[in-house]
Amino acid sequence: MASEARDNIGLLNQSTQKTANDARLRITLLVIAIVGSLGLLYWQVQNVALLFAFLALAATTGAIVYFLRPQNSAADEETSALADWAVTRLVADQSNVGLAITDRAGRLVCANELFTKWFNGPAVPPQLPFQDGGNELLATAGRNAWRDGRGYAEGLKRGVAEYNAKVIRAGQGDEYLLWQFKPQRRSDILEDTIRMVGGATGRALSEAGVLTCVIGGEGRIRGSNQGFALRATGREEANISGRNFINFMRSDDKGTIFFERDGRHGTPVRLFHIPLDRSQEKGPALILLIDDDGGMVERGKALEQIESMLSLLPLGLALTDRDGRFLFFNSAFGKVAGLREGEKPLYPGDLMIRDDKSAVADAVRRYASGPTMSGDLAVRLRSGGEDPVALGIAGIRGLGDAAVLLSIKDNSEETKLKSQVAQATKMQAVGQLAGGVAHDFNNILTAIIGHCDLMLLRHAPGDSDYDDIQQVKNNSNRAAGLTRQLLAFSRQQTLRPQILQLPDVVADVSNLLKRLLDDSIELEVKHGRNLGLVRADPGQLEQVIINLGVNARDAIESTGAKGGKISITTQMVAASDVRALKSDILPVGDYTALFVTDTGKGIAPELIGKIFEPFFTTKEVGKGTGLGLSTVYGIVKQSGGYIFADSKPGKGATFSIYFPVHKMSEQETAQTMEPLKAVAKKELWGSGHILLVEDEDMVRAVAERALTRQGYTVVTASDGEEGLQHLEDLAEGEDIFDMVVSDVVMPNMDGPAMAKEVRAQYPDMPILFMSGYAEEQLRKSIDLDNVAFLPKPFSVAQIAEAVGEILAEHAK
């Protein structure tokens, strides 16, 4: 290329020389023509005077022509020079060598397009964007050219490209330098390879499973295709240029090569190293990698073995190739996918609804060409309705055409569990709602029952209003029983557990239960021997037995048959018997069990898991609230027991309740040995100074009137802050309050916060809390010792009795 550029400059010099020679030739010929003409004229006329006259005429004409010729201005000469350099630039642009011309002042006179492209504009040699001292080498070459006519510089680096330069002194007066730049051949190959790997060719190789990258002589990555980036980093768009190739690879003690990211169980790869410059021992190279199964088993044979194994598994499994076409699927896969016998879909997307087809196809292609990773998708089958199924996808290698393993799983059980969790969450929310409703309802019932008691004090039995008032009170007490059911359902009711024998409770309630049954229904009660003691609230246990008995009665009556039988059985269940049951729910231990069996129509299998849910009932509208069994469940669980339902359609149902046997302490044993004392009638009258704090006006009014009628002096407050203010406002010498009666939940300052302030000033002050919430629920927030609790709703006699007992105990 340097010789070609030299030839181009030589042609320019030859053209200038030829023009001068042509001018001299024309003058010589003109002189010869004039002399010849004079000789011919003299030979013809032989007259010297005429000859001189002709010569004078020729000289005069020549002078006139000379002086009348067009004169070239300085601008014309400059334009001519620019035209000459434009021609030079046009010729230089035809070269595949970067060319530039500078004058003795170091100014750039001319440069071709290739030079401008390589060095970002018309830069002036030797001040070019070279690295590692390249411009110093170029300056030395320029000095050598001025001195010797030629200069050379090699290995001029700019990025990944390297150039060789030749500098030639040129021009008629040697007043110019011609700079020639030629890239080294390996830079062309390197750049072309990098463009190829990062472009469409590299993507096509990725889809074919060929991973490619280009590395420099120092081992750093210059470019890669998407497949290599995905396998090396997990992301196709990752920029890994400049990073060390060896950091992404590893090898075992046998020399097998793996990707570092694939871990110990990754797929081995076969590596091909293609040098881009064979003249260098450690030069740039193209790296090709393909998955390698190690040659241990023939791929076709291995695939046959895998298919045979997959066909035996109960899991839905299938294999696809890199393009996503089915190669194999077992019968379990076809069954879950809803395929008919002999149906063979082409792609997995053919099994899905239209909205999920593209997502499945994209996922299969991605796992087929990337690293050996796995994941899953929630998709909806064409034959499965709206319920989604889990489609597992895993990339596999070393099995010939098979590239992706698919698994499909029926999510019906998982959906059922999610539904149960949602139902449990809903039950918890309903339980909290029930507790709140019971609290508000208890406040209302407290006011109703209290006012009924106050009115009954003014009426004697037989009065016209007495029976009406008594009826209102009785209905209010029934409503109070409903709130207890709500609290039992939410497991927030106040329990007053006692140590008792279960047969005694059954005996007490069996007479009441008989009155609730039809005469055609037989009630059978059996008690086992050696029953252990249980610790429970007898009133709540009676509620459990009543609810189960009524539920059994309704089941028998729903059959339409006349008559039936309800059996209530108590039995001792030893730890060995529990172990034999192999129950995952019932812990091993000694229990006293209660079994309630009926001869009704039984419970359908799809309903038996819902019978303890609140408001669930199979009865007609208006004939059941759905709270009976849920209340039983709440009471049993809060008492520390376990309840199970067992039924076969048409053969009745059995409810089994297990209460842990209570081990009595020495103190409890001593108390049971003490003789019973006669209980005197409690005196409700008393005297004392009482601070009553209650935010509900109607409840505060009833409690104030009830205590005032019994002889107490009562000061009322609507919240805790007002109650503390009453304590501070006591006149000097005035007796302090003998007792504080307070609601628990109040605005501004609640009861426990106020009680702590009271106890800080008066440590021995007795405190009685009253609330419509359950005592167990409030004990955590009260966090005080020696406080009493009165559940709402209460009667006039109950609050007077509670206050009297506390004051009497404090006076001892």
Side-chain angles (χ1 to χ4, degrees), residues 7 9 179 205 358 363 449 484 552 574 600 615 669 697 774:
D7 293 342
I9 300 300
W179 304 79
L205 291 172
S358 59
I449 293 174
R484 284 193 295 271
F615 311 114
T669 303
D697 296 339

Side-chain angles (χ1 to χ4, degrees), residues 628-681:
L629 290 179
S630 63
T631 300
V632 169
Y633 184 85
I635 293 173
V636 171
K637 283 296 181 182
Q638 195 172 9
S639 301
Y642 301 87
I643 183 170
F644 304 94
D646 183 29
S647 176
K648 293 182 180 179
K651 296 185 178 180
T654 298
F655 289 87
S656 306
I657 302 174
Y658 297 85
F659 292 106
V661 173
H662 179 71
K663 306 296 183 182
M664 293 183 62
S665 63
E666 295 181 0
Q667 181 179 1
E668 291 172 337
T669 303
Q671 290 176 354
T672 58
M673 297 293 291
E674 292 180 359
L676 296 177
K677 298 179 182 180
V679 179
K681 183 179 180 181

Side-chain angles (χ1 to χ4, degrees), residues 2 38 99 111 222 245 265 304 309 358 412 514 535 562:
L38 290 175
L99 297 175
R222 303 291 183 85
F245 170 76
H265 304 291
E304 291 178 2
M309 180 182 68
S358 59
S412 58
K514 286 179 181 178
R535 188 173 185 272
K562 190 65 175 178

Side-chain angles (χ1 to χ4, degrees), residues 558-572:
S558 64
T559 61
K562 190 65 175 178
K565 183 177 181 180
I566 299 175
S567 299
I568 301 177
T569 306
T570 59
Q571 182 179 332
M572 188 272 290

Side-chain angles (χ1 to χ4, degrees), residues 685-701:
W685 293 96
S687 62
H689 197 194
I690 297 175
L691 175 62
L692 175 63
V693 186
E694 168 63 58
D695 62 312
E696 290 284 348
D697 296 339
M698 54 186 177
V699 177
R700 185 172 64 251

